[in-house]
Amino acid sequence: MTEPQPLRVAVLVSGSGTNLQAIIDAARSDDLPVRIAAVLSDNPDAMGLDRAREYGIPAIAIDFHGCTDRATYDRQLRRQLADLNPDLVVLAGYMRILDDDTVNDFAGRMLNVHPSLLPAYPGLHTHRRVLEAGEDWHGTTVHFVIPELDAGPPVVQYRLKVHPEDTEQSLRERVQAGEYQIYPLAIGWIADGRLVFADGGPQFDGKPLTQPQIIDADY
Ligand code: GAR
């Protein structure tokens, strides 16, 4: 009998890559049956690329600012991903908008983590906007990626109560602590075959997933 093969994942990062680190740690501890085929970045200085190199994971930079135009960058990234042919593409703090062709190449095989309880607060500066609006609840969402920004079907959310003393920085830290739990969890569901994208939407344990799974923070 042949051994089940680990899920081959490509991770896209733009910055520090702490979510990437959580995924690397989970994979190394055997909690997550994935192999990270490569880490790619639009930013050659991204710390996430250094994290990859430290573990012998191929680190590929496509310098966005070194490209003559947006279409050139998009083409290069799309080609790199096609060459890698991963089972799953994971956006982990990747701060560029992907072109529709690249998203469609990986329809149902691309995840993102976004720091809000989607559909609330798509876009940037979510922690600040949540504080300014006086929200009681905040959190973060892992969702399948579709061409429309931050609008793909959510899979799992980490939810926390906003404390009166919270600042943008404390919210970022509390939200990210949740991301380190829910991102490896969601990737693991895909690796285990529990979460699939079929018939136009996510299915979990054979049933349509109409609402994301919710993990509540314990403080
Ligand atoms: C994460 O908190 C992620 O939710 C956010 O960027 C951070 C990256 O941190 N992503 C977005 O805002 C995407 N719209 P990391 O590089 O340390 O993983």
Side-chain angles (χ1 to χ4, degrees):
M1 245 179 64
T2 51
E3 286 279 305
Q5 292 298 307
L7 194 77
R8 287 182 69 253
V9 174
V11 184
L12 271 60
V13 300
S14 294
S16 65
T18 60
N19 275 280
L20 166 68
Q21 188 68 54
I23 296 163
I24 292 174
D25 292 346
R28 283 170 59 84
S29 71
D30 290 338
D31 284 347
L32 189 61
V34 309
R35 186 163 80 74
I36 302 177
V39 173
L40 300 95
S41 184
D42 56 309
N43 168 16
D45 299 324
M47 203 199 293
L49 290 174
D50 293 332
R51 292 181 194 271
R53 290 185 196 105
E54 200 174 313
Y55 295 93
I57 299 167
I60 301 167
I62 304 168
D63 187 356
F64 183 84
H65 296 292
C67 291
T68 42
D69 54 22
R70 166 83 205 258
T72 307
Y73 172 82
D74 288 345
R75 255 197 319 275
Q76 287 188 27
L77 178 62
R78 189 173 180 217
R79 198 176 316 126
Q80 282 284 359
L81 285 172
D83 287 350
L84 285 163
N85 192 25
D87 300 315
L88 180 72
V89 175
V90 167
L91 310 184
Y94 180 70
M95 302 308 281
R96 303 251 163 232
I97 296 173
L98 291 167
D99 71 316
D100 290 5
D101 288 339
T102 305
V103 172
N104 290 331
D105 285 348
F106 291 94
R109 296 188 295 138
M110 186 183 281
L111 292 178
N112 182 39
V113 66
H114 178 78
S116 76
L117 296 173
L118 290 172
Y121 300 100
L124 296 173
H125 309 301
T126 56
H127 312 304
R128 186 188 314 164
R129 287 156 61 209
V130 160
L131 285 174
E132 282 169 0
E135 299 283 2
D136 290 328
W137 294 95
H138 186 33
T140 185
T141 304
V142 173
H143 65 95
F144 282 104
V145 176
I146 62 170
E148 194 186 336
L149 186 69
D150 299 331
V155 169
V156 55
Q157 292 186 322
Y158 178 87
R159 190 170 59 178
L160 54 80
K161 189 124 184 47
V162 179
H163 299 156
E165 66 276 18
D166 265 319
T167 61
E168 208 177 325
Q169 179 59 21
S170 71
L171 275 186
R172 179 175 298 108
E173 286 168 12
R174 294 177 66 208
V175 159
Q176 288 193 332
E179 292 180 339
Y180 309 150
Q181 290 180 41
I182 64 169
Y183 220 176
L185 185 67
I187 296 165
W189 288 337
I190 291 183
D192 293 340
R194 295 186 70 188
L195 174 66
V196 295
F197 196 93
D199 302 329
Q203 302 203 348
F204 191 74
D205 287 343
K207 297 193 195 75
L209 185 68
T210 52
Q211 297 291 325
Q213 309 276 14
I214 303 289
I215 310 281
D216 276 314
D218 50 17
Y219 69 105

